[in-house]
Amino acid sequence: MDLFEYQGKQMFAQYGISVSPGEAVRTVGDAVAAAERVGYPVVVKAQVLVGGRGKAGGVKLAANPDECREHATNILGLDIKGHIVKILWIEHASDISEEYYASFTLDRSAKKYFGMLSAQGGVEIETVAEQDPDAISKIHIDPVDGLTEAQCRDWVLAAKLNASVTDQAVTLLMKLYDAYVQGDTDLAEINPLIVTPDGKVHALDAKVSLDDNAGFRHDWAEFESMQIRDDREQAAHEADLQYVGLDGSVGIIANGAGLAMSTLDVVNQAGGTAANFLDVGGGADAKKFINALTIIDNDPRVRSIFINIFGGITRGEEVANGIIGALAAIDIKSPIVIRLDGTNADEGRAILEPHLGDKLQMAPTMLEAARKAVELASR
Amino acid sequence: MAIFVDENTKVIYQGVTGSQGKYYANLNRAYGTQVVGGTNPKKAGTDVDGIPVFASVAEAVKETGATASCIFIPAAGVRSAVMEAAEGGIEFIVCITEGVPAHDEAWFFNKLQRDYPDVRLLGPNCPGIISPGKCNIGITAGHIAKEAVPGARNVGIVSRSGTLTYQALYELQAQGIGVTTCVGIGGDPVPGTSFIDCLAAFQADPETHAIMMIGEIGGSAEEEAAEFITASVTKPMSAYIAGQTAPAGKKMGHAGAIVSGGKGTAAAKMEALVGAGVKVGANPTEAGELMVEIVKNL
């Protein structure tokens, strides 16, 4: 789960990291009221889960209520790379004398934690990595040992930050490390990490991605409640299905994440595009197929549905019965193509046979099923 | 021969008293796996369908001589279950559980490497391992895997995905091709056993003549495997990478299946494998056909 900037800052504040005072609002009126409490000048910041907010006009400085009202009006509803701004973060403006970059993430290759620190902040770290790779100070941390203060200091010194803030930077980065590990984040990033004219080190932005698998040991209900999902993603989330919404016209249901991914691939190879990724998982409960089919059929993009099942321990006839049970319970608008293979595939196909027609078709292989589904979608 | 597990492997099930643990321990036993016990501190001294339940892994190992364990413990308990297995004397730990926090995985991977370098962990979030005809640990349907045939050309399989592994087993079986061992390394960011571990073992196994590898988007394990193949694998290989059309920035079902910052794309992985001399299929069927062709020409 990716957090909005303001949520990331709330989390950082819990770990003692210095962030600017501010408030999250959803209306122009609330923005102006919040600015009064926060104190002018304020920065009006669009809360969207995409980079490049500043360039898109989503971050503006306001010196007074008129300016705040004007900016809030312009930014609310703004489309930033397809993300519509619904929330604003109003924070007290900071004076900046230097901008740095700091982050912790997992190096999957080294299987260690990985910290990056640079005196060149405020720009994309990928750009720094390309243009001036030596400007990034890197550290690998063994998860068993954790980050020691001495290691952290060496790392800071290697980054060649302003020498006067070394101690503060070490303290802040130790806290950021705690937030990264104890907070169960996949990414904890501050860009820019600023130094103010009076020499204070301060997190001016926050980019945090939480590890959804660790939700059981945290109270993330408030973060969760603010997640923006489209209708289909919300429905899938409530039905506990592994779902990703896409833009194509062939709805996909497969059992297994790998098979679902490869189903997208073969639909593409057949000249079509998938409307979604959906892993229905193991088992063959009719309820699961009802949920999956309903979500897909309610998607206005969908013109045909491709159910791709490989029977393992769950046998073909169980899956066939689950699908037939689901189709008896609900009315599906789009035509369905089924590919059923693996354990007891023949028995499963025999169960499907009497139900076949224009609305429900069967294909012997994954590729043929994909071609058929693509053809139906283009009709 | 098989890699990692064979007919001599004795397995215990951590979480054998849960519904999943019980179900798969029974299936594995019915397949012929030496299922010698299970653990649950609250139910020690009882049995699950004749499988004796011990209080701890250490006790189960002492009483049964178990060498492998299979973990069906909920995600919150996996970290301590993995360490209990290693401390209890298990050499090969298979963790089926999905949804384990990445920080836990990173921690026990490094802890095992440091304190128990001889212990192998497979998973978490994996289907397990099967050496057809000898040993099946985990959730793979045993009957779709054909036993390796002595004297014939046999294949080893290593995969990040469960259902795609089954598909590969099934296609090889349909063509009468035997499999020495099929290893599901799982779809998480920090897998205990890597592609390279499996490739090295298959390369060293005289009964494995060709290797099929199934990867997916996210991370750089396939690129690292490609480097290893170039340097150290002489056996012919076919491969498939799932997620060629997956959007960036989205986790595709598996926690580790995500393209981020332009890294971990299927295109880059396929290119690396092609560069290492691997025959790469555009879809799982094609990768299976390529393997059939490889075996026929051996």
Side-chain angles (χ1 to χ4, degrees):
Chain A
M1 172 171 36
D2 294 334
L3 297 188
F4 291 115
E5 172 199 0
Y6 80 92
Q7 295 173 323
K9 285 182 170 172
Q10 286 171 352
M11 182 176 166
F12 284 172
Q14 286 169 10
Y15 287 90
I17 295 168
S18 168
V19 294
S20 306
E23 291 181 30
V25 299
R26 288 171 169 274
T27 66
V28 174
D30 286 351
V32 175
E36 290 296 332
R37 289 188 290 270
V38 168
Y40 287 100
V42 298
V43 186
V44 181
K45 300 181 90 174
Q47 298 297 290
V48 283
L49 297 174
V50 64
R53 290 177 297 168
K55 277 187 200 146
V59 180
K60 295 282 184 187
L61 189 67
N64 54 55
D66 286 345
E67 285 182 15
C68 182
R69 187 171 291 109
E70 184 193 336
H71 295 322
T73 306
N74 292 337
I75 296 174
L76 276 173
L78 191 67
D79 181 335
I80 302 179
K81 298 178 188 169
H83 296 245
I84 308 296
V85 181
K86 291 176 178 161
I87 305 166
L88 299 175
W89 172 244
I90 310 294
E91 84 173 14
H92 186 68
S94 299
D95 292 322
I96 302 169
S97 56
E98 298 195 46
E99 291 184 288
Y100 304 149
Y101 171 95
S103 71
F104 289 104
T105 183
L106 172 73
D107 180 340
R108 287 172 60 171
S109 178
K111 298 180 169 72
K112 303 276 192 254
Y113 297 150
F114 182 57
M116 286 197 287
L117 181 63
S118 176
Q120 296 181 24
V123 291
E124 298 249 333
I125 194 66
E126 288 82 6
T127 311
V128 180
E130 250 170 53
Q131 293 171 357
D132 191 2
D134 294 340
I136 303 173
S137 169
K138 297 170 180 171
I139 185 171
H140 277 99
I141 304 149
D142 190 309
V144 178
D145 297 326
L147 177 65
T148 67
E149 200 163 319
Q151 277 177 316
C152 187
R153 185 168 298 273
D154 289 344
W155 179 41
V156 169
L157 292 173
K160 300 190 174 65
L161 310 182
N162 190 318
S164 66
V165 299
T166 300
D167 287 351
Q168 275 191 72
V170 169
T171 307
L172 184 140
L173 290 167
M174 292 299 290
K175 290 173 179 167
L176 184 63
Y177 179 78
D178 286 346
Y180 168 65
V181 178
Q182 291 165 28
D184 271 311
T185 77
D186 288 338
L187 170 72
E189 180 187 82
I190 304 175
N191 188 22
L193 176 68
I194 62 161
V195 181
T196 59
D198 57 351
K200 295 274 191 313
V201 177
H202 185 82
L204 201 61
D205 198 358
K207 191 171 173 189
V208 173
S209 182
L210 301 175
D211 175 7
D212 297 313
N213 284 347
F216 65 83
R217 58 188 176 204
H218 297 276
D219 181 8
W220 287 340
E222 203 179 317
F223 293 153
E224 176 63 36
S225 71
M226 301 302 291
Q227 285 290 299
I228 293 175
R229 298 188 178 91
D230 66 24
D231 291 346
R232 15 177 226 167
E233 286 177 341
Q234 185 60 35
H237 180 73
E238 284 165 15
D240 206 19
L241 291 167
Q242 299 273 13
Y243 178 95
V244 177
L246 302 167
D247 293 328
S249 57
V250 180
I252 306 286
I253 297 174
N255 64 333
L259 188 64
M261 268 189 270
S262 72
T263 309
L264 310 189
D265 294 348
V266 293
V267 164
N268 187 263
Q269 285 156 17
T273 49
N276 65 277
F277 163 100
L278 193 157
D279 171 11
V280 75
D285 188 5
K287 185 86 200 309
K288 274 212 275 197
F289 283 103
I290 290 175
N291 285 336
L293 283 165
T294 305
I295 288 159
I296 288 175
D297 203 45
N298 284 340
D299 182 347
R301 298 165 187 80
V302 169
R303 307 290 305 278
S304 71
I305 300 172
F306 177 4
I307 302 180
N308 190 3
I309 301 292
F310 193 92
I313 285 182
T314 306
R315 301 186 306 273
E317 67 266 32
E318 296 176 290
V319 176
N321 282 325
I323 293 169
I324 296 303
L327 292 176
I330 47 171
D331 189 31
I332 298 297
K333 298 188 291 289
S334 299
I336 298 171
V337 181
I338 299 180
R339 173 260 184 169
L340 179 61
D341 214 335
T343 307
N344 291 10
D346 287 341
E347 288 82 345
R349 289 176 192 151
I351 289 168
L352 293 171
E353 198 71 46
H355 300 271
L356 298 180
D358 288 346
K359 296 294 291 289
L360 183 66
Q361 305 188 21
M362 195 157 62
T365 69
M366 195 159 151
L367 290 174
E368 281 175 58
R371 281 186 208 115
K372 202 168 261 188
V374 169
E375 187 205 315
L376 289 169
S378 60
R379 271 188 198 163
Chain B
M1 271 169 66
I3 67 166
F4 302 146
V5 296
D6 58 23
E7 63 273 26
N8 299 315
T9 307
K10 291 181 177 173
V11 194
I12 56 162
Y13 291 72
Q14 291 173 263
V16 71
T17 52
S19 63
Q20 296 270 305
K22 176 179 165 174
Y23 180 71
Y24 289 106
N26 267 309
L27 273 188
N28 290 172
R29 180 172 59 175
Y31 184 78
T33 306
Q34 287 202 52
V35 175
V36 296
T39 62
N40 180 336
K42 290 179 194 141
K43 294 183 180 163
T46 65
D47 73 272
V48 172
D49 300 336
I51 301 167
V53 179
F54 299 93
S56 68
V57 172
E59 193 188 314
V61 167
K62 187 165 159 262
E63 296 297 325
T64 67
T67 51
S69 90
C70 186
I71 296 177
F72 280 100
I73 301 272
V78 163
R79 177 171 153 156
S80 53
V82 167
M83 292 320 297
E84 188 194 332
E87 285 157 14
I90 292 291
E91 296 158 15
F92 190 81
I93 307 167
V94 179
C95 183
I96 307 298
T97 309
E98 66 178 312
V100 178
H103 284 281
D104 289 5
E105 290 183 9
W107 186 88
F108 58 65
F109 179 90
N110 283 282
K111 184 76 175 164
L112 289 178
Q113 201 172 54
R114 174 184 311 189
D115 295 345
Y116 301 93
D118 297 332
V119 171
R120 173 168 299 289
L121 170 68
L122 180 63
N125 191 16
C126 78
I129 181 168
I130 177 169
S131 293
K134 296 171 177 166
C135 180
N136 184 10
I137 307 176
I139 63 175
T140 304
H143 59 267
I144 57 172
K146 181 174 164 55
E147 276 181 54
V149 183
R153 312 283 103 175
N154 299 302
V155 175
I157 301 174
V158 56
S159 169
R160 271 170 78 184
S161 149
T163 27
L164 290 179
T165 312
Y166 306 159
Q167 167 119 21
L169 285 168
Y170 191 72
E171 286 181 12
L172 293 179
Q173 184 185 53
Q175 299 289 332
I177 297 171
V179 170
T180 47
T181 300
C182 174
V183 194
I185 60 173
D188 272 2
V190 193
T193 291
S194 68
F195 279 125
I196 292 176
D197 296 331
C198 299
L199 293 173
F202 282 133
Q203 174 67 23
D205 174 30
E207 231 177 55
T208 300
H209 300 93
I211 308 165
M212 193 166 168
M213 170 175 156
I214 299 165
E216 62 190 30
I217 54 164
S220 55
E222 290 80 0
E223 287 88 335
E224 288 148 25
E227 278 180 36
F228 180 81
I229 292 163
T230 302
S232 310
V233 177
T234 57
K235 295 179 181 177
M237 290 184 61
S238 82
Y240 166 66
I241 305 294
Q244 294 157 33
T245 48
K250 299 271 189 188
K251 282 183 185 172
M252 304 300 279
H254 287 158
I258 180 167
V259 173
S260 52
K263 298 234 171 71
T265 64
K269 293 170 186 300
M270 292 164 78
E271 198 187 315
L273 289 167
V274 168
V278 176
K279 295 202 182 321
V280 180
N283 51 62
T285 310
E286 209 177 294
E289 287 165 359
L290 288 167
M291 182 44 71
V292 170
E293 206 176 297
I294 287 172
V295 172
K296 286 189 173 153
N297 291 328
L298 273 172

